[in-house]
């Protein structure tokens, strides 16, 4: 069975489908993510999700580990201040990696990703994971972008000026953080994924 550890707020803040707004607060955003993981992904026994949230905004009574029912097993952890979600994720990776054959970490934090790779886990960017949860929406927005390109330029398939193929692009917290878009950071992520790809190809031989 595949075990997937997620930085919950990473995923929530990188997708308009989850991000808090006038319709829902942060607690409702957490519930939406957990419910989707519980019921919409895979079949029974195919995946186990461990969602880690920073616990600074919740009371001590809420910080206990919670298991959610559904087709997929979902366990929720809140970090206990002064620890943060990143600290909890590192600890979980170190505990699970030696005995888990298929461990994946979903994060947008480069240092957390490097640590997980060092322990043998697979890495998935939070943006890509969030988009994958809404595959139909991604395809719909991509089709809309193509149609806009036709209207703007009069040629089929012409791309419009603004890239809109992913629901995570607009308003992503990565855009608000310089390190999220820096050349150095991008190169580091590419190197990490290249290493991951090479390891996977070697294992397939």
């Amino acid at each position: 069975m595949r075990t997937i550890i997620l930085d919950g707020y990473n995923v929530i803040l990188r997708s308009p489908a989850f991000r808090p707004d006038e319709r829902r607060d942060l607690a409702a955003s957490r519930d939406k993510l957990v419910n989707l993981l519980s019921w919409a992904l895979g079949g029974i026994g195919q995946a186990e999700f461990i969602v880690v949230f920073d616990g600074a905004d919740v009371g001590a009574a809420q910080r206990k580990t919670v298991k959610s029912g559904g087709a997929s097993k979902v366990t929720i952890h809140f970090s206990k201040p002064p620890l943060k979600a990143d600290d909890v994720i590192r600890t979980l990776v170190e505990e699970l990696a030696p005995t888990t054959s298929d461990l994946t970490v979903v994060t947008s934090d480069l240092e957390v990703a490097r640590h997980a790779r060092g322990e043998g886990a697979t890495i998935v960017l939070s943006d890509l994971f969030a988009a994958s949860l809404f595959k139909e929406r991604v395809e719909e927005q991509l089709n809309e972008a193509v149609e806009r390109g036709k209207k703007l330029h009069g040629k089929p398939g012409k791309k419009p000026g603004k890239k809109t193929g992913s629901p995570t692009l607009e308003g992503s917290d990565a855009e608000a953080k310089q390190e999220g878009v820096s050349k150095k950071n991008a190169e580091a992520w590419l190197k990490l994924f290249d290493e991951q790809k090479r390891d996977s190809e070697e294992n397939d031989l």
Side-chain angles (χ1 to χ4, degrees):
M1 182 170 65
R2 188 179 186 189
T3 300
I4 304 172
I5 301 174
L6 298 92
D7 184 326
Y9 287 147
N10 252 197
V11 175
I12 285 172
L13 294 176
R14 288 173 178 268
S15 173
F18 293 118
R19 194 180 304 133
D21 55 23
E22 65 278 0
R23 296 168 299 167
R24 59 176 172 264
D25 59 14
L26 196 56
S29 294
R30 290 195 301 260
D31 290 342
K32 182 173 182 179
L33 173 61
V34 170
N35 287 336
L36 187 62
L37 294 175
S38 296
W39 297 104
L41 298 179
I44 296 175
Q46 289 185 358
E48 174 185 7
F49 296 95
I50 303 174
V51 188
V52 183
F53 295 106
D54 279 315
D57 67 316
V58 299
Q62 290 180 274
R63 292 191 196 119
K64 61 184 179 180
T65 300
V66 179
K67 294 186 178 181
S68 174
S72 300
K73 179 182 176 184
V74 181
T75 304
I76 306 160
H77 291 267
F78 286 95
S79 64
K80 183 179 180 181
L83 295 178
K84 296 184 177 181
D86 291 349
D87 302 312
V88 176
I89 290 172
R90 289 188 185 96
T91 299
L92 287 169
V93 169
E94 290 171 3
E95 291 175 354
L96 295 173
T99 57
T100 305
S101 60
D102 193 353
L103 180 64
T104 298
V105 175
V106 179
T107 182
S108 59
D109 186 286
L110 185 57
E111 292 308 312
V112 172
R114 283 173 171 160
H115 173 267
R117 278 299 299 148
E119 295 291 329
T122 299
I123 305 303
V124 175
L125 273 169
S126 296
D127 299 72
L128 299 179
F129 184 84
S132 74
L133 296 178
F134 297 93
K135 182 174 180 288
E136 292 179 359
R137 180 175 177 179
V138 174
E139 292 175 348
E140 180 182 341
Q141 291 194 356
L142 187 57
N143 289 334
E144 289 175 357
V146 172
E147 289 302 316
R148 279 196 297 273
K150 290 178 182 178
K151 291 178 182 177
L152 286 172
H153 305 285
K155 296 180 181 180
K158 183 74 173 180
K159 293 183 179 179
K162 186 177 180 182
K163 187 176 180 183
T164 57
S166 168
T168 64
L169 289 175
E170 184 177 353
S172 169
D173 64 335
E175 295 176 355
K177 298 179 182 178
Q178 185 176 359
E179 67 269 23
V181 293
S182 71
K183 181 178 179 182
K184 182 178 179 180
N185 199 26
E187 289 174 347
W189 274 107
L190 288 173
K191 181 179 179 182
L192 196 62
F193 285 124
D194 283 342
E195 292 172 356
Q196 182 169 282
K197 183 179 179 181
R198 283 198 302 271
D199 290 346
S200 177
E201 290 173 347
E202 289 174 2
N203 291 333
D204 289 340
L205 293 177

